[in-house]
Amino acid sequence: MSGVDASPSASGDENRAQTMTNASSMGFHSRRTSSVSSFSSTLGDRPSTFVRRPSSFLFACALVCFVLASVTHRPRSAFCEKAPAHVIFVDAGSTGCRAHAFAIENGENDRELFKIKTLGTKAKTRLPLAEMGGKVREELIPALRAAAANIKDPWEREHAAVYVWATAGFRILTPAKQQALWREVREAVTSETKLQHGHGHFRTVDGAEEGFYAWLAANYLSNVDVTVVGRLRGASTPSAPALAEMESDNPLSKTVGAIDVGGGSVQFVALPNGGVGSSLRSMIDLRDAVKVESFLGYGANHMETRWRRELARAGKKENACSFPGYEVDVDGATLTGTGSYDACVRGLRKQIAAMQREQRVTLRMPQDFAKIDRFLGMSLLFHLTNFLTVALPGSLPSMPKASLEEIAAGGKKLCATDWTSLVKNVDGKDPNTPTDRLNGRCFDAALVQALLGVDFDDDLQSGEVGLGFTQSDKRIDFIERVDGAEVEWTLGAAMSVVHPTAARANPNWAKTRVPAACARVFHSSFLEELYQWAVIIMPAAVIVTGYLVYKALQAATNVGTMARSPSFFEVL
């Protein structure tokens, strides 16, 4: 009986144990479910769609980027498909903006890609673009309309392509300030005119670009057809004598150099080995072959500002680089001119030497530039020498090929002129010397000497500063116009943007790749817009990131609190 009774008893105990185990298990699950439910309620009843499906989040991001890119997309350059018949190019320089109108015509034969002509005279603004914040409509638009007035056909006048490119005076601004001004220019041109523009039409060019464009203009106006670059020589390979004849007939073997001194920078440029021109297939190849050197800060405005400030900082009262009797207040100090030309040249050479050491550069031209037979002296170089012929008739008998020796003699006489007498007799007689620049012409004369010359008897090591011209060198032609056209870098810039489109449309020229301004419009404008909106995007990103970190810390704190609670240990 005991054996029989034992079995049911054991079975009952086993059943009761299983029941307790099940109850305990059910209690555990109940408490665990309660804990998880409590934890879930802290973070939300249900994970969001983006958490459950990361692909949805990525899709949403892509959609936002696409919409933003579509909204910010700007049209392609006006030159991407077809070169327009007219273009207005604006040089946004250090002292103001100068708007030029150009006409583009077909070449007269199969050896000439196109012809470009300057229409009328340039239109100027009162302020430089760098100082036009909030005034672009009042300052720039009238100049554009004045330049467009040189185009006779009304329809062509309204639908000409417009470019506004800024140089050294604009490059010194912060990127944010530049972008804000370019936005204002784009909006003003779009709302106030019908002129054609697109990606790449409003931008800041670097010194090397500016120098190359000046070189193009100088050569084109000197009857060197730089549009020949990329011209095909025929399907079959020419024989050696024919090849030699082609090389001798290559216009690029006869190029001239160019020296451009502006308000903010100095550039010199040349093609040392013109013979390589026959192998160049595009304007980009030509640009790579041309040697360009640009030095920011050595222009007349920047150099004079630094000169005056250093005098004021040193407690000086006299300014050797200004006319006798002319006074100017600088940083609380009054500087009175003495007109000491030689002392001014020596002081400027020391200033240039100090700047070269600071920037770790040298202004000296390369040795192979000595083989260049002719340079065109542009911008300030012409303005100063031309002013000398107006203020002191007969002072530069060799013009336009004036030597530095002649400029030095004229500069001494000019700087010795009393300021009151100069204003009375000279003011308003030179169209390139406005009244507000008349006081700086003594400084300009000394600066030209200090920048170009090398053989001076001073305390500087021979050849330490200066581009490399001797006092008797007459390789420089100080000119503004060639055959009635101004030698301005904007002419070369217009040629550079017309050439790729014209070459692709002409079977006698090599088919070059699409310009970067045409191939990268979409993503470039998108990135530029992102940059312009960085002042909004970055703070927003910081706020969102801070919020996410806060929520993560909050979640971690909740987990820690649960781990310390007795109920949590009971669950374990």
Side-chain angles (χ1 to χ4, degrees):
M1 289 293 296
S2 61
V4 174
D5 292 337
S7 178
S9 175
S11 176
D13 291 342
E14 182 177 336
N15 291 337
R16 284 193 297 272
Q18 181 66 35
T19 302
M20 292 178 63
T21 300
N22 292 338
S24 176
S25 177
M26 291 175 63
F28 170 78
H29 284 293
S30 176
R31 284 191 298 271
R32 185 178 64 176
T33 303
S34 175
S35 299
V36 172
S37 175
S38 175
F39 180 70
S40 298
S41 65
T42 303
L43 298 179
D45 293 337
R46 185 180 183 185
S48 66
T49 302
F50 290 155
V51 174
R52 290 184 290 110
R53 297 180 180 178
S55 59
S56 300
F57 176 74
L58 296 177
F59 175 77
C61 290
L63 180 61
V64 170
C65 291
F66 176 78
V67 172
L68 181 58
S70 300
V71 172
T72 61
H73 172 66
R74 291 191 294 276
R76 284 152 55 96
S77 166
F79 287 111
C80 289
E81 302 298 337
K82 179 182 179 181
H86 297 88
V87 60
I88 298 173
F89 234 102
V90 179
D91 169 13
S94 304
T95 58
C97 296
R98 291 165 288 276
H100 306 255
F102 301 103
I104 294 89
E105 303 174 355
N106 294 327
E108 296 181 353
N109 52 61
D110 59 359
R111 295 173 61 85
E112 186 177 43
L113 183 58
F114 63 86
K115 299 179 68 173
I116 185 168
K117 294 182 179 179
T118 303
L119 302 177
T121 58
K122 58 189 174 186
K124 301 178 181 179
T125 64
R126 182 177 57 89
L127 296 175
L129 183 60
E131 300 176 12
M132 283 189 195
K135 301 178 181 178
V136 170
R137 280 179 170 81
E138 296 80 2
E139 292 285 338
L140 181 62
I141 299 302
L144 291 179
R145 289 172 177 161
N150 294 312
I151 303 174
K152 295 181 180 180
D153 184 88
W155 192 91
E156 288 287 351
R157 185 186 309 130
E158 288 187 349
H159 295 83
V162 61
Y163 277 78
V164 182
W165 285 2
T167 55
F170 207 77
R171 292 196 293 268
I172 62 175
L173 300 179
T174 62
K177 183 65 178 294
Q178 292 186 40
Q179 292 292 343
L181 281 169
W182 285 133
R183 179 189 293 274
E184 186 177 352
V185 169
R186 188 180 304 110
E187 292 174 351
V189 173
T190 302
S191 62
E192 300 292 333
T193 73
K194 294 182 180 180
L195 297 173
Q196 304 298 302
H197 59 85
H199 185 71
H201 283 234
F202 309 124
R203 69 184 187 90
T204 308
V205 299
D206 58 38
E209 284 184 280
E210 184 182 352
F212 174 65
Y213 300 144
W215 178 84
L216 284 177
N219 280 276
Y220 186 76
L221 295 177
S222 299
N223 296 321
V224 178
D225 185 11
V226 288
T227 69
V228 72
V229 61
R231 189 177 69 200
L232 299 175
R233 299 295 183 177
S236 60
T237 304
S239 61
L243 181 60
E245 182 179 353
M246 290 177 183
E247 292 295 345
S248 64
D249 188 43
N250 176 21
L252 297 181
S253 64
K254 307 177 182 65
T255 59
V256 302
I259 304 173
D260 192 331
V261 180
S265 61
V266 173
Q267 295 95 25
F268 58 80
V269 53
L271 180 63
N273 301 310
V276 303
S278 61
S279 62
L280 303 178
R281 295 178 58 84
S282 68
M283 192 62 70
I284 297 177
D285 291 342
L286 179 59
R287 178 181 169 183
D288 292 341
V290 168
K291 282 191 176 182
V292 182
E293 292 289 348
S294 180
F295 304 94
L296 184 62
Y298 294 85
N301 291 351
H302 288 192
M303 291 290 290
E304 187 173 27
T305 298
R306 174 168 174 155
W307 170 259
R308 289 175 174 178
R309 286 179 176 174
E310 288 185 352
L311 290 178
R313 191 178 299 112
K316 303 290 184 180
K317 301 295 184 181
E318 296 181 341
N319 181 6
C321 296
S322 191
F323 295 101
Y326 179 79
E327 295 183 349
V328 62
D329 293 330
V330 179
D331 297 337
T334 300
L335 302 177
T336 303
T338 62
S340 303
Y341 178 83
D342 290 337
C344 180
V345 172
R346 288 194 297 270
L348 288 178
R349 281 173 54 78
K350 291 180 180 179
Q351 179 172 307
I352 293 172
M355 293 174 63
Q356 289 183 167
R357 288 193 296 270
E358 293 170 5
Q359 300 177 6
R360 298 182 179 180
V361 299
T362 176
L363 270 64
R364 182 57 45 83
M365 293 191 301
Q367 288 293 331
D368 48 8
F369 274 41
K371 301 177 182 179
I372 306 298
D373 297 329
R374 184 188 180 201
F375 289 88
L376 300 187
M378 303 159 59
S379 300
L380 178 70
L381 298 182
F382 168 77
H383 295 160
L384 181 276
T385 52
N386 184 70
F387 178 78
L388 286 175
T389 63
V390 173
L392 302 171
S395 59
L396 301 179
S398 301
M399 274 291 285
K401 287 184 175 295
S403 66
L404 292 180
E405 188 175 21
E406 292 176 349
I407 294 175
K412 290 179 182 179
K413 294 180 181 179
L414 175 67
C415 289
T417 306
D418 181 74
W419 171 243
T420 304
S421 176
L422 185 74
V423 172
K424 179 181 178 180
N425 299 324
V426 182
D427 188 22
K429 291 188 176 181
D430 178 19
N432 291 306
T433 305
T435 300
D436 60 354
R437 188 54 201 162
L438 183 63
N439 66 80
R441 286 309 187 205
C442 173
F443 178 90
D444 294 342
L447 178 62
V448 169
Q449 186 73 228
L451 284 173
L452 300 185
V454 291
D455 45 352
F456 293 90
D457 184 16
D458 55 23
D459 56 350
L460 296 177
Q461 180 182 354
S462 177
E464 183 178 355
V465 300
L467 270 65
F469 293 91
T470 65
Q471 294 296 302
S472 60
D473 200 327
K474 289 188 176 181
R475 288 183 296 158
I476 304 177
D477 286 359
F478 297 91
I479 58 177
E480 181 181 41
R481 291 179 175 271
V482 176
D483 293 335
E486 289 189 59
V487 184
E488 298 270 4
W489 69 264
T490 47
L491 173 64
M495 295 175 62
S496 71
V497 295
V498 171
H499 190 277
T501 304
R504 290 199 303 274
N506 193 313
N508 295 322
W509 263 256
K511 300 299 179 290
T512 58
R513 63 182 182 272
V514 176
C518 299
R520 303 174 182 173
V521 176
F522 189 84
H523 70 77
S524 295
S525 58
F526 175 45
L527 293 177
E528 288 177 7
E529 196 71 19
L530 283 180
Y531 178 84
Q532 293 177 16
W533 283 90
V535 292
I536 296 177
I537 293 175
M538 293 304 295
V542 171
I543 293 173
V544 171
T545 303
Y547 175 76
L548 294 176
V549 171
Y550 165 74
K551 296 299 291 184
L553 292 175
Q554 188 182 50
T557 302
N558 291 335
V559 172
T561 302
M562 292 173 58
R564 292 190 297 271
S565 65
S567 59
F568 188 85
F569 288 109
E570 288 179 3
V571 169
L572 296 179

